[in-house]
Amino acid sequence: MALLEQYLTTEMLENYLGDPFDSNSLFSFERAVEIDECEEYPHEFVDLVNAWNFHHYYIPKEYGGKFQSFEELLSLERTFLRRELSLVSAHGVTYLGALPVWIGGTIRQKMQLAERIKNRDLISFG
């Protein structure tokens, strides 16, 4: 993957989420503070990134996903981190739970896991 390509994907995500300084933007800094101060789960942010199919970046390309490199995934997650820290924890747990299968699972397990992630099933780790 070319270095520029990973940042183009991040730029596409940034444009999709909207200007964080615009209080009318669903994913604005202002809204993030409101959610944090109310100690709410960031449902609307999770729904927004799910609609963009962000979870496909947790699946390696060879199993039908969009994951190409850790650098790209980190670049994408930094986009969330600067807006709402809890979203990375709420959403990223799927990737953390999937890692053991990507590293040491059978082909069948990997294919099944890819389908579960695409279906937005919750994946956990323990």
Side-chain angles (χ1 to χ4, degrees):
M1 163 184 263
L3 185 61
L4 180 60
E5 186 179 340
Q6 76 187 29
Y7 296 113
L8 290 176
T9 305
T10 301
E11 184 178 10
M12 289 183 340
L13 176 60
E14 191 75 60
N15 289 334
Y16 169 78
L17 297 175
D19 182 356
F21 293 102
D22 179 359
S23 61
N24 294 318
S25 172
L26 181 61
F27 209 146
S28 68
F29 291 137
E30 183 177 318
R31 183 65 186 127
V33 169
E34 290 171 3
I35 289 172
D36 188 53
E37 287 178 349
C38 293
E39 297 181 9
E40 295 175 9
Y41 182 83
H43 291 285
E44 61 200 69
F45 294 165
V46 171
D47 291 345
L48 189 64
V49 298
N50 282 345
W52 193 73
N53 287 327
F54 185 85
H55 53 290
H56 288 217
Y57 287 91
Y58 299 145
I59 305 167
K61 283 192 102 164
E62 59 264 32
Y63 300 106
K66 295 182 178 182
F67 177 86
Q68 298 184 84
S69 74
F70 289 109
E71 286 297 322
E72 180 182 42
L73 182 59
L74 288 173
S75 178
L76 290 166
E77 287 185 341
R78 280 187 205 107
T79 302
F80 301 146
L81 280 169
R82 73 184 196 91
R83 294 176 188 236
E84 172 51 61
L85 180 62
S86 66
L87 177 62
V88 174
S89 299
H91 206 271
V93 71
T94 293
Y95 185 70
L96 292 175
L99 275 176
V101 177
W102 299 140
I103 293 169
T106 65
I107 298 296
R108 182 174 179 214
Q109 289 171 326
K110 293 174 184 181
M111 295 301 290
Q112 289 174 337
L113 179 61
E115 284 307 308
R116 291 191 64 198
I117 293 172
K118 285 179 188 176
N119 290 328
R120 296 188 183 132
D121 290 346
L122 298 176
I123 308 299
S124 181
F125 63 94

